[in-house]
Amino acid sequence: MSQMNRRRALQLLAALGTAGLAAGCGTDAAEGEAASDGSPIKIGLIAPTSGGLKAIGDEITNGFQLFLDLNGNGLGGHPVTLLTADEGESVKTGKAAVEGLLKQGVLALTGVVDSNVMFGIRDTVEQARVPLIGSNASPTSLQSVVYIWRTSYVLDEAGRALGRYLREQLGSSARLAIIAPENAGSQDVVRGFKQEFGESDPRIKDPVTWTGVFTNPSKSAYRADIRTALGRKPDAVFCFYAGPAAVEFIKQLRTEGFTGKIYAPGFLTEGTVLEAVKAEEATGIQTALNYSADLNNNANRRFASAYRKKHGTSPTTYAMASYDAAQVLDQAIRIAGVTPNPQQVNLALGKIGQIDSPRGVWQFNQPRTPQQKWYLREVQLDGQVLSNVLVTELATLG
């Protein structure tokens, strides 16, 4: 499909659910040529403020706020009031957060860390006809949505990027153990990995070892399952954990005596994880992700420099995707005209072309997720600090 046809398809899809919009939506002003009247707008941000996912929630909040800081606390020429709500750790608390923000008259929503929450709030968002630009959670099963867009990734893509790479890199006689928590997100990742690696490849013939699902696991939470997987004598491990769960998994895997290579979606070593593990536990772990803080492009130099100056640490993919959510909203609100409403902003999202992002240039595809590059990173010591160092580009997916 040509770029012009793809963009037209996005426009038509975005138009769904917008019946009854004023005729002014199709004017030149709606194409972003008229100046905004500067009327204040409200944006609602949903993120966990406590529990095991709080660190990711903080990154999402930091990324969105940084864009506002660098752009006069405005989006599309309008001063912004950023309203935040605690996502919590369940669908129930996530829905309550969304409903509370909708009652306050937000023009758009953003954030959401947990995949189960994203799926659970789908109907609430679609019925409210208020666009949600998700900046983290994106389950593969979230299909045929009109008002939900994502600036992050689709979960199976992280598995696909590594599956394609490891299919070529692993030796012909190597055996790979797959270990992951038993939830919908892991199933997406593992399915994508197997599809690209080869479902019938003898190197991944052993059953997947499914572990319990914990946001704050104990120091022995994974050890029995790890022993089961290691009992099959694998040469390497593919896994999927994030946050405190990633810290404990890495530690317990090494405690059980595994010294081989570890491969994972980048969340395993993202954020504060590397601050909580030892160099001998994490050095050499290779991960696939849509972002690396050391990417050498103008957008990332500006973003990463500003983030480090404000927060004293390198940005993560969580912060980057939230920064891009603000950037996307900035463009869409400007396109929507002088007095935008949620339906007009949603329509405008389908008219955005390429985004000059810290991750590299990307654009929305037909399912409202990014078509973007994925990168291979390796944990290495940078002086005395563990860092995710960019190795190579893996694939363009989406």
Side-chain angles (χ1 to χ4, degrees):
M1 181 184 290
S2 70
Q3 184 170 334
M4 182 176 293
N5 288 339
R6 185 182 297 112
R7 188 172 300 174
R8 178 57 180 158
L10 285 169
Q11 293 173 7
L12 291 172
L13 280 167
L16 293 173
T18 57
L21 290 181
C25 286
T27 65
D28 288 342
E31 294 298 323
E33 296 179 5
S36 169
D37 67 352
S39 56
I41 58 174
K42 298 176 183 177
I43 303 295
L45 189 149
I46 305 141
T49 59
S50 61
L53 298 176
K54 179 183 183 299
I56 299 175
D58 290 345
E59 287 282 316
I60 284 175
T61 302
N62 292 347
F64 199 93
Q65 185 61 57
L66 183 63
F67 185 91
L68 295 180
D69 293 346
L70 296 175
N71 291 275
N73 201 48
L75 293 174
H78 298 257
V80 169
T81 297
L82 184 62
L83 305 174
T84 60
D86 183 9
E87 178 181 333
E89 294 186 312
S90 70
V91 173
K92 182 178 179 180
T93 55
K95 288 183 71 173
V98 170
E99 290 166 356
L101 291 170
L102 290 173
K103 288 178 181 177
Q104 296 181 70
V106 295
L107 181 66
L109 298 161
T110 190
V112 186
V113 169
D114 189 278
S115 293
N116 291 324
V117 171
M118 176 62 85
F119 197 80
I121 64 176
R122 169 195 168 146
D123 291 347
T124 301
V125 172
E126 293 288 293
Q127 290 166 14
R129 298 172 67 207
V130 173
L132 164 62
I133 295 82
S135 49
N136 187 58
S138 190
T140 307
S141 55
L142 191 67
Q143 301 287 336
S144 303
V145 289
V146 174
Y147 284 88
I148 299 178
W149 306 72
R150 286 140 289 174
T151 57
S152 51
Y153 50 84
V154 179
L155 274 169
D156 69 335
E157 292 173 353
R160 289 171 57 200
L162 266 178
R164 186 177 301 182
Y165 170 74
L166 289 181
R167 182 183 64 205
E168 306 300 328
Q169 293 296 314
L170 284 183
S172 59
S173 61
R175 296 180 68 178
L176 182 74
I178 301 175
I179 311 175
E182 193 169 12
N183 58 23
S186 293
Q187 291 167 2
D188 283 347
V189 170
V190 171
R191 181 171 54 251
F193 178 83
K194 286 187 169 184
Q195 285 173 349
E196 291 292 339
F197 193 96
E199 294 274 1
S200 60
D201 194 303
R203 293 174 293 179
I204 57 170
K205 66 179 181 180
D206 292 332
V208 175
T209 301
W210 299 108
T211 72
V213 180
F214 311 103
T215 53
N216 275 305
S218 72
K219 296 187 182 302
S220 61
Y222 303 119
R223 293 185 68 172
D225 293 317
I226 287 171
R227 288 190 199 113
T228 298
L230 296 185
R232 303 183 184 113
K233 307 297 183 184
D235 301 287
V237 165
F238 173 82
C239 58
F240 175 59
Y241 296 90
V247 173
E248 282 304 322
F249 179 80
I250 293 169
K251 287 179 174 293
Q252 291 172 38
L253 183 64
R254 295 307 194 194
T255 297
E256 289 301 317
F258 184 72
T259 58
K261 294 287 289 186
I262 301 173
Y263 302 96
F267 322 113
L268 184 75
T269 59
E270 195 74 349
T272 58
V273 172
L274 293 181
E275 299 171 10
V277 295
K278 298 176 181 177
E280 59 267 28
E281 294 170 329
T283 300
I285 292 176
Q286 291 193 335
T287 63
L289 202 59
N290 60 348
Y291 177 67
S292 174
D294 57 357
L295 281 169
N296 186 22
N297 61 61
N298 289 334
N300 189 50
R301 283 193 291 271
R302 180 173 186 251
F303 166 67
S305 175
Y307 195 94
R308 290 184 182 110
K309 182 177 180 181
K310 182 174 182 180
H311 297 289
T313 188
S314 294
T316 62
T317 189
Y318 312 119
M320 177 278 298
S322 192
Y323 179 89
D324 273 3
Q327 183 174 195
V328 162
L329 277 172
D330 179 61
Q331 295 187 33
I333 291 167
R334 197 174 303 278
I335 291 171
V338 295
T339 55
N341 64 37
Q343 294 78 41
Q344 290 170 328
V345 173
N346 195 66
L347 183 67
L349 286 165
K351 300 178 180 179
I352 295 173
Q354 292 186 329
I355 307 298
D356 186 15
S357 166
R359 77 188 83 177
V361 174
W362 66 272
Q363 64 186 36
F364 282 121
N365 58 20
Q366 192 166 331
R368 290 162 157 69
T369 60
Q371 183 182 48
Q372 62 187 330
K373 293 179 180 178
W374 284 79
Y375 304 94
L376 181 70
R377 313 175 315 164
E378 182 173 284
V379 177
Q380 298 178 11
L381 272 173
D382 182 8
Q384 298 299 311
V385 179
L386 286 173
S387 299
N388 290 298
V389 176
L390 181 66
V391 177
T392 189
E393 181 182 320
L394 287 173
T396 297
L397 300 172

